[in-house]
Amino acid sequence: MELNLQGRVALVTGSGSGIGRDTVFKLAEEGCKIVVSDINAGSAHETAEDLRKAGHEAIAVACDVTSEDEVAHLVAQAQQQLGGIDILVNNAGIVKDGYLTKMTEQSWDSVVDIILKGAFLCSRAVLPQMMEKKWGRVINISSRSLFGNPGQTNYSAGKAGLVGFTRALAQEQGRFGVTVNAVAPGFIMTPGMRNLPHFPKLQEAATAKVPVGFLGEPRDISNAVAFLASDVARYISGTTLFVTGGRYSG
Ligand SMILES: NC(=O)c1ccc[n+]([C@@H]2O[C@H](COP(=O)([O-])OP(=O)(O)OC[C@H]3O[C@@H](n4cnc5c(N)ncnc54)[C@H](O)[C@@H]3O)[C@@H](O)[C@H]2O)c1
């Protein structure tokens, strides 16, 4: 299938590591110019450098997605250096797990803000360019946890909220040639996860719950993102693509 993403400019938030890092590589392999962005400036620059070493065009801009000023700076840099953004992947996300009765306000606010306020600020900053070009893609990285995981009321609420955000924004943007979709990953083995001391146990417990019998890799998510970013997916908007090996709630 020809995705025809040649020459598009893609911004992926939180792309200094994990799923975001693989997504920028996948989109670059499909011909996109890349804006790597992360709150961690070092990892953003390293990822952009690795992309350039692999022969791709990429810039790095450090940005905390919860800061309106930093998001404005990020989008201005992308405009100046690469000529504007065609594809936005709202990928930045964190967990701060704990049962609700013991959850601090800071744990609630930080998790929900990065997921929801981050998607709001980044989308609001890039959409005017997309609307003007009459072409754009917004892809929000939600999670299977939107069905509700114990110990993750903050994260589950944020990721479920992101699906509502996706559906509402898709309806606002359709007439401008902009599609808005979500991808909901299941358990994905990122390098960070593989390095956890209890990873073998975690892997065994998680695998038992996945119908296909194995855990996902970052490339399973970045393939879905690239598909939704392409013209092949032009009639898909407002949907959530579950990439979970067949696992839904439970
Ligand atoms: N790995 C999984 O199994 C899994 C499953 C479902 C959903 N997800 C979602 O996928 C996305 C990527 O997760 P990952 O597993 O690659 O995690 P990760 O921790 O490897 O990557 C997240 C990146 O976001 C960055 N980040 C954190 N706060 C930020 C902020 N305020 N502004 C900008 N960047 C910030 C981090 O520095 C990090 O580089 C997240 O939204 C996560 O919720 C992951």
Side-chain angles (χ1 to χ4, degrees), residues 4-222:
N4 197 23
L5 285 167
Q6 206 67 35
R8 300 281 189 204
V9 177
L11 162 63
V12 181
T13 66
S15 49
S17 70
I19 291 171
R21 182 181 153 96
D22 191 68
T23 300
V24 289
F25 271 87
K26 172 66 186 171
L27 292 172
E29 286 156 21
E30 293 295 338
C32 292
K33 298 176 200 171
I34 301 295
V35 185
V36 180
S37 185
D38 203 288
I39 194 169
N40 180 333
S43 70
H45 284 282
E46 198 180 309
T47 300
E49 185 58 34
D50 290 346
L51 282 164
R52 288 192 291 267
K53 277 187 199 146
H56 305 299
E57 196 170 341
I59 63 166
V61 185
C63 172
D64 174 352
V65 294
T66 65
S67 157
E68 188 175 20
D69 289 348
E70 292 187 26
V71 169
H73 172 74
L74 164 65
V75 173
Q77 284 299 311
Q79 174 85 50
Q80 241 173 34
Q81 298 187 50
L82 295 177
I85 295 155
D86 302 299
I87 299 160
L88 166 67
V89 184
N90 286 311
N91 166 77
I94 58 164
V95 288
K96 281 197 182 164
D97 295 354
Y99 286 109
L100 184 107
T101 48
K102 299 215 166 78
M103 189 176 285
T104 62
E105 191 176 354
Q106 200 276 337
S107 294
W108 176 271
D109 284 347
S110 57
V111 170
V112 173
D113 272 6
I114 291 172
I115 297 170
L116 288 178
K117 192 176 177 189
F120 159 64
L121 289 175
C122 293
S123 303
R124 194 183 60 173
V126 303
L127 278 166
Q129 305 171 10
M130 294 179 179
M131 291 159 80
E132 204 178 305
K133 286 189 201 162
K134 294 262 178 242
W135 196 95
R137 297 285 185 264
V138 177
I139 298 159
N140 300 315
I141 306 302
S142 178
S143 168
R144 190 206 60 81
S145 306
L146 67 87
F147 291 117
N149 275 350
Q152 290 196 319
T153 50
N154 49 0
Y155 185 75
S156 298
K159 294 299 190 181
L162 199 53
V163 167
F165 173 88
T166 300
R167 288 187 184 153
L169 189 59
Q171 292 184 55
E172 292 182 14
Q173 286 296 317
R175 68 200 165 99
F176 299 108
V178 178
T179 67
V180 185
N181 290 291
V183 173
F187 196 111
I188 303 299
M189 286 187 291
T190 57
M193 218 171 262
R194 276 206 170 88
N195 291 335
L196 293 172
H198 62 291
F199 177 69
K201 268 195 170 167
L202 189 68
Q203 184 180 25
E204 198 184 315
T207 306
K209 294 179 176 171
V210 179
V212 298
F214 59 87
L215 300 183
E217 301 281 346
R219 195 41 63 108
D220 293 306
I221 304 307
S222 60

